[in-house]
Amino acid sequence: MRTSPTSESSEGILAARVGSLFAQRRAAVFKRTDRVMVYLMAGQWLFGILLAVFFSPYAWEGKVRAVHLHLYAAVILGGAISSLPIAFAMWLPGRAVTRYTMAVAQMLWSALLIHLTGGRIETHFHVFGSLAILALYRDWPVLIPATLVVATDHFVRG
């Protein structure tokens, strides 16, 4: 069956329009997920500080309560982990560098929270939850650096 020149050109126009709409929707998903991740990063920072204040001294030193080194780690290291992805999400929303920075930071948060709780097995599930949250980007390459960070953390810390 032969197609007319007008049908071929209309198919090309349709394909271009579909590609354009897909790119717009994908960019919107990336930007919306970046906004969600900003709140998650800030919330994890606050949670890490609260965990260091109320739980970490007991997990590491028994019944002795004192300002523990983990409080400084939660405030300073947690702030360092969260600040770059938050800045990227504010200044470069929807960009690939923002997604990859979020992925790495999310896995670093998993490592920090595991450390703050003394390595409790329950905290290790944060890794799986983090991977599920990163899947909101709908961009599978984002999971590669996240997985590499987790694997490196487990290799380094044994």
Side-chain angles (χ1 to χ4, degrees):
M1 178 173 167
R2 293 182 65 175
T3 58
S4 67
T6 56
S7 69
E8 287 177 8
S9 65
S10 64
E11 287 175 11
I13 292 171
L14 181 63
R17 178 71 176 143
V18 167
S20 173
L21 288 174
F22 177 75
Q24 288 174 1
R25 295 295 294 167
R26 187 173 185 191
V29 166
F30 292 160
K31 289 178 182 179
R32 185 176 57 242
T33 307
D34 284 342
R35 284 193 302 270
V36 169
M37 294 297 286
V38 164
Y39 291 112
L40 181 65
M41 288 291 152
Q44 287 177 139
W45 189 16
L46 179 63
F47 179 73
I49 292 169
L50 292 174
L51 195 64
V53 167
F54 294 111
F55 183 75
S56 192
Y58 291 124
W60 286 88
E61 295 180 13
K63 297 287 182 188
V64 178
R65 254 183 92 81
V67 176
H68 199 270
L69 179 64
H70 288 125
L71 181 59
Y72 298 114
V75 172
I76 296 168
L77 187 58
I81 291 171
S82 291
S83 62
L84 186 62
I86 289 173
F88 279 3
M90 297 298 203
W91 295 324
L92 303 170
R95 302 259 178 99
V97 67
T98 304
R99 291 190 302 277
Y100 293 124
T101 305
M102 287 288 185
V104 169
Q106 188 60 30
M107 293 303 127
L108 290 175
W109 262 113
S110 292
L112 181 60
L113 291 175
I114 289 168
H115 182 71
L116 290 175
T117 60
R120 295 200 183 271
I121 192 70
E122 297 88 358
T123 319
H124 284 77
F125 287 104
H126 188 271
V127 173
F128 302 117
S130 296
L131 290 172
I133 290 170
L134 289 173
L136 291 175
Y137 277 117
R138 299 179 190 155
D139 188 26
W140 67 267
V142 169
L143 300 176
I144 294 171
T147 305
L148 290 175
V149 168
V150 170
T152 303
D153 176 57
H154 277 78
F155 178 74
V156 168
R157 289 199 295 161

